[in-house]
Amino acid sequence: MTSTTVNPVLRVAPASPAAAAAHFRASLAFHTDVSDVAAALAAGGDPGFVLVDSRSTEAWDQGHVPGAVHLPAALVPERAGELLDPSVPVVTYCWGPGCDGAARAALALAELGYRVKEMLGGFEYWVREGFESESRHGREQHAPDPLTAPVGVADCGC
């Protein structure tokens, strides 16, 4: 007897290759990841974007990506013009995957006319991947979490 039950993964059929390509191309226009941001910043010179930390002052003081601009999401409408050049793309981040502050900041910036991407993983994955952070106490670097950044691997291998 043949079962006609479809598993939960395939209950909704995958998109066509053309639709999938369009979706993922669009997704990459809106998102970047921690490893790519770190590589762009480490390359030296102008990375071609400004990195914006959209968290609260208390969160910023606990730690942030060196060189990031602090602009809490709620303050974007009133402060973006004084902190950011509208001709330079912006990459936003917040705490991590469970926080939508980067998306809220990205929306506010886009509504003001900025070209913007969100850094997936946020500050949590920045630290988990072993990249240097900065706080009111100075700079520090933690060992990479082997679940997010295998030892000896510069990026996710993507």
Side-chain angles (χ1 to χ4, degrees):
M1 178 178 262
T2 304
S3 173
T4 59
T5 304
V6 177
N7 71 50
V9 172
L10 299 175
R11 192 170 294 137
V12 174
S16 71
H23 168 81
F24 293 114
R25 186 174 297 106
S27 178
L28 291 170
F30 299 111
H31 300 109
T32 187
D33 67 23
V34 167
S35 293
D36 288 345
V37 169
L41 295 176
D46 180 2
F49 63 88
V50 63
L51 186 61
V52 169
D53 186 316
S54 64
R55 301 172 302 146
S56 68
T57 299
E58 294 80 15
W60 169 267
D61 287 345
Q62 280 187 309
H64 55 270
V65 176
V69 172
H70 184 224
L71 179 57
L75 300 178
V76 166
E78 65 189 66
R79 303 224 29 235
E82 67 190 58
L83 296 174
L84 304 172
D85 178 343
S87 69
V88 177
V90 177
V91 174
T92 62
Y93 74 89
C94 60
W95 270 116
C99 175
D100 67 358
R104 284 186 280 113
L107 171 60
L109 287 162
E111 289 175 338
L112 292 171
Y114 291 86
R115 293 175 296 146
V116 63
K117 287 188 173 199
E118 178 184 5
M119 183 177 81
L120 298 176
F123 186 66
E124 174 188 350
Y125 276 70
W126 184 268
V127 172
R128 287 182 73 182
E129 290 193 23
F131 299 118
E132 186 177 61
S133 63
E134 186 173 44
S135 74
R136 63 181 175 264
H137 304 295
R139 291 190 177 216
E140 62 182 320
Q141 191 166 7
H142 299 276
D145 178 339
L147 294 176
T148 61
V151 177
V153 176
D155 63 29
C156 69
C158 304

